[in-house]
Amino acid sequence: MLFCRLGTVDYAEAHELQKSLQARRIAGEIDDTVLLLEHPPVLTLGRSAKDQHVIAPAEALREHGIQVHEVGRGGDVTYHGPGQLVAYPIIDLKPDRKDVRKYVWSLEETMIRSSADFGVQASRVAGLNGAWIADRKIGAVGVRISRWVTMHGLALNASTKLEHFDLIVPCGIQDKAVTSLSAETGRAISVAELIEPLAAHFATLYDAPVEWRDASPDELRA
């Protein structure tokens, strides 16, 4: 399983890269690949997003430098930004991993195990996706699968600016808060610290050896 460290990538560029790699994985041109990156501040609206779940008016979003994108993943509205590790697995679930619930479980489990590495005990909440600490969400999940090849993935808050979540109803959930590893531990935890543990946990769940590559989106498209 190839893990690619991309640094900070604009959301639209990362989305196009995912689509390109998904098509190549479907065609058998590449092996399972996981993109690891951060985004500049952005709201993404999933297929079930409701307009009222974006609380802030457009001018307030512009003031904060936050873009807005409609995307084809499941779920409602979520926020990505600096200090949040985003992982986009482009992996083929055929022939023996064709179970969407189990795949989502693996993304949640990856975040739960990664949080534990920093002394933070996360878990699941019945009826809700993601990773949670009591009623505080520390990691989100959203997926899209075509011909059993995945795209989109998970977002785990390391040192994310939590006040940006106040601009939306995160994932459409009214009565829950959002947190981060830094907020829970009381110390600054960077995305750089989180990348290798998270990759190791995800690869372990799929019994895959880890291969690393530092690359730009253009290099991965080549």
Side-chain angles (χ1 to χ4, degrees), residues 32-97:
D32 287 344
T33 300
V34 182
L35 308 179
L36 298 167
L37 51 92
E38 294 176 77
H39 287 305
V42 61
L43 302 183
T44 65
L45 310 179
R47 292 191 298 271
S48 60
K50 296 178 172 59
D51 290 342
Q52 62 268 32
H53 290 164
V54 180
I55 299 170
E59 57 268 25
L61 296 178
R62 286 193 294 269
E63 287 174 8
H64 287 281
I66 298 175
Q67 300 178 5
V68 180
H69 289 277
E70 295 184 5
V71 296
R73 60 159 173 80
D76 205 293
V77 59
T78 193
Y79 168 79
H80 298 303
Q84 181 189 72
L85 176 56
V86 178
Y88 292 136
I90 314 295
I91 65 173
D92 193 345
L93 299 178
K94 300 187 301 292
D96 57 351
R97 303 183 294 196

Side-chain angles (χ1 to χ4, degrees), residues 121-144:
Q121 185 175 353
S123 61
R124 295 174 179 83
V125 171
L128 299 173
N129 289 334
W132 298 80
I133 301 163
D135 62 351
R136 305 182 300 283
K137 192 171 192 176
I138 196 166
V141 170
V143 305
R144 183 176 183 180

